[in-house]
Amino acid sequence: MKKLAVVTGASSGIGYELARFAVEDGYALVICADEVEIERAAEKLGRLGGTVEVVQADLATPEGVDSLWQAIEGRDIDLFFANAGRALGQAFHDQEWRDIDRLIALNIGQTTTLLHRVGRQMHKRGSGRILVTGSIGGFVPGPFDAVYDASKAYLDSLSYALQDEWRDSGVTLTCLMPGPTETRIFTREGNHLQDAPITEKPKDDVTTVARAGYDAMMAGERGVVPGFTSKVMALLSGVVPQSVLAQIHRMGAEPKKGGGS
Ligand SMILES: NC(=O)c1ccc[n+]([C@@H]2O[C@H](COP(=O)([O-])OP(=O)(O)OC[C@H]3O[C@@H](n4cnc5c(N)ncnc54)[C@H](OP(=O)(O)O)[C@@H]3O)[C@@H](O)[C@H]2O)c1
């Protein structure tokens, strides 16, 4: 019997790469995402020789989480990647409440539900590895991406707390905290980041970022910030006043004048 890896948000970006590494390491996969694109990801991953099960579900809803849980409950989950997430640009007062609500439900509410269910199962068994995709955005106040950065601060904090609770349990939890990484998160229509200057700037390579997270998880490390610039930002966040960090973030996130998204 192959060991089991479960990856949320595996249809593209960091999650797809994490799923690819797991399948290359011989894990059977259960992958989940909201859109039909997840089927194409499953085909590609299957061609690498893996067993791939797909759950197409909206993980911003309790029903979506329940359908993923039904597919994995009762099986020993060896690796769990809590990766699905979305961003939301623009000024807070220009954002629609339903978009804010959905981001909080996905990045915080339902991700916590899944971590609770999976973490409880792993803790009972005394083994398992979890990787949470947080962000260096969690270290800084994020004007024009404010709720997103706050949601990642929650995830970064939750991760470090749970690692401590589980330190003697055989369960490891690693927090991957990428800086800006080249994925579709910047160009997805609903994320409203098309007019943010950061979208046009060079970003970290997605494979390198995911690799750093995967390797840190396998080594049982507590957290990893991939990339030199992001490491510097993470260090600065401990010493530079919050108001200055907010200004630095604004430079990359404030929509360019005349932008329409
Ligand atoms: N790229 C960066 O700069 C960066 C930096 C720090 C942290 N991160 C984090 O990395 C993670 C992955 O993002 P990415 O950059 O790889 O972007 P991405 O390519 O947009 O991937 C996002 C993944 O999450 C899934 N997803 C979104 N909403 C969902 C929902 N309601 N239900 C189920 N799945 C959903 C997407 O699937 P669908 O298309 O089916 O919705 C997709 O598979 C996110 O948590 C993000 O916050 C990214």
Side-chain angles (χ1 to χ4, degrees):
M1 271 270 280
K2 281 186 171 185
K3 289 187 164 194
L4 179 64
V6 178
V7 190
T8 71
S11 60
S12 64
I14 295 169
Y16 177 80
E17 295 297 303
L18 292 170
R20 184 165 70 82
F21 299 144
V23 96
E24 285 170 355
D25 272 356
Y27 287 84
L29 282 180
V30 174
I31 57 173
C32 179
D34 190 22
E35 307 288 339
V36 70
E37 183 77 6
I38 190 70
E39 294 288 351
R40 218 171 66 83
E43 268 172 43
K44 283 200 286 176
L45 292 164
R47 282 201 288 274
L48 299 174
T51 317
V52 186
E53 286 169 62
V54 173
V55 178
Q56 189 183 340
D58 180 359
L59 294 179
T61 66
E63 298 76 24
V65 167
D66 283 348
S67 51
L68 173 58
W69 187 241
Q70 274 163 23
I72 57 180
E73 190 183 12
R75 295 157 77 179
D76 287 349
I77 302 162
D78 296 286
L79 306 182
F80 181 68
F81 299 87
N83 169 78
R86 57 168 301 182
L88 187 58
Q90 294 185 321
F92 185 57
H93 57 262
D94 287 333
Q95 293 168 347
E96 296 300 331
W97 172 251
R98 66 170 180 276
D99 294 335
I100 296 171
D101 196 29
R102 194 166 154 74
L103 183 151
I104 294 171
L106 175 67
N107 292 13
I108 296 181
Q110 300 310 330
T111 297
T112 309
T113 306
L114 277 171
L115 286 171
H116 184 248
R117 290 184 187 177
V118 173
R120 181 179 264 188
Q121 191 231 60
M122 285 183 175
H123 190 267
K124 198 167 164 197
R125 202 174 79 231
S127 70
R129 297 188 186 281
I130 297 175
L131 184 75
V132 174
T133 310
S135 172
I136 62 158
F139 302 160
V140 300
F144 301 95
D145 211 3
V147 179
Y148 173 77
D149 276 28
S151 76
K152 291 296 174 175
Y154 170 89
L155 279 182
D156 293 352
S157 172
L158 183 74
S159 297
Y160 277 90
L162 297 184
Q163 292 158 7
D164 191 71
E165 287 191 17
W166 293 337
R167 67 184 179 195
D168 301 319
S169 71
V171 180
T172 68
L173 189 152
T174 304
C175 189
L176 168 62
M177 293 160 285
T181 304
E182 200 59 69
T183 72
R184 289 173 58 205
I185 203 167
F186 295 95
T187 52
R188 284 173 185 266
E189 209 172 307
N191 290 357
H192 298 293
L193 285 167
Q194 292 92 326
D195 300 318
I198 186 69
T199 297
E200 285 170 11
K201 295 257 163 64
K203 291 182 264 304
D204 290 338
D205 171 65
V206 65
T207 307
T208 311
V209 166
R211 187 83 244 175
Y214 188 88
D215 289 349
M217 173 201 221
M218 290 315 221
E221 289 168 17
R222 293 189 168 205
V224 59
V225 176
F228 178 74
T229 313
S230 300
K231 281 189 174 63
V232 172
M233 270 306 285
L235 279 175
L236 284 179
S237 70
V239 286
V240 172
Q242 295 280 300
S243 56
V244 176
L245 294 172
Q247 279 180 48
I248 295 171
H249 192 280
R250 171 191 275 262
M251 287 192 284
E254 185 172 15
K256 289 170 286 183
K257 296 233 173 352
S261 69

